[in-house]
Amino acid sequence: MLELRRTCPGSWVDFNGHMRDAYYVLLVSFANDRQMDELGMGPTYLASTGRTLFNLDNRIRYLREAKAGDRLAARQRLIDHDAKRIHLHTLIVNLSTEAVLAVNEAVLLHVDRDGGPRAEPFPPEVAALVSARAARDAGPEPRERTGGVGLMRRGA
């Protein structure tokens, strides 16, 4: 599991006194960036190959409020994958209380950005990193879900 930690700055808080909805997604986006880098698909990969990951589906459920100064963690698991896609599950947690504040699920697609963009299978070295991450992240089905997100497989 990947864990990204941040403290909610005052600039992320709206007039209601809690973190703006967009910043929950931003926190997940920062975790996605780190995940992409750990899976060999970070900025260097893009620069050298013209390939990257694009979001196909990204959904969030807001469960509790975060406030300025709260210590937060985005805990991310790779819960499914195929030759071209990964399905990420992220919990945003208050580190002081361990309360789950939000759950995000996203499906990201490997694309050749310079050639279209068009979908393309992971190269063998990236596929190996994806499979290894999925094996490390394996476990029980996440309890908190967003609903309706996942890899659709033809003929299954």
Side-chain angles (χ1 to χ4, degrees):
M1 175 188 319
L2 179 145
E3 182 170 283
L4 177 81
R5 293 179 177 216
R6 294 284 189 273
T7 298
C8 177
S11 61
W12 286 12
V13 174
D14 66 15
F15 63 88
N16 291 309
H18 57 254
M19 192 162 79
R20 291 182 177 279
D21 54 351
Y23 289 105
Y24 290 83
V25 178
L26 181 64
L27 188 58
V28 171
S29 184
F30 289 146
N32 289 352
D33 287 350
R34 183 179 292 169
Q35 186 78 257
M36 288 170 65
D37 201 43
E38 289 186 11
L39 295 174
M41 293 180 280
T44 302
Y45 178 76
L46 173 61
S48 65
T49 68
R51 290 164 179 82
T52 189
L53 291 173
F54 281 5
N55 267 299
L56 287 182
D57 197 354
N58 190 346
R59 300 181 196 190
I60 192 161
R61 286 182 53 217
Y62 301 97
L63 305 172
R64 291 182 180 79
E65 298 175 344
K67 300 192 181 292
D70 284 351
R71 293 179 21 254
L72 308 173
R75 295 179 178 157
Q76 187 171 82
R77 290 175 53 200
L78 194 160
I79 62 172
D80 199 4
H81 65 85
D82 63 15
K84 300 177 187 178
R85 300 172 296 175
I86 61 173
H87 179 181
L88 300 174
H89 178 273
T90 307
L91 296 177
I92 298 176
V93 177
N94 180 312
L95 286 169
S96 298
T97 65
E98 286 298 311
V100 176
L101 307 179
V103 58
N104 175 271
E105 290 188 64
V107 174
L108 285 70
L109 175 69
H110 186 250
V111 299
D112 179 352
R113 193 181 74 173
D114 294 343
R118 70 173 186 273
E120 188 170 285
F122 299 118
E125 63 278 6
V126 170
L129 291 170
V130 169
S131 292
R133 168 64 77 181
R136 282 194 308 276
D137 288 355
E141 187 77 14
R143 194 168 36 122
E144 297 88 355
R145 300 297 299 263
T146 60
V149 178
L151 303 186
M152 295 176 62
R153 292 181 169 86
R154 294 190 178 159

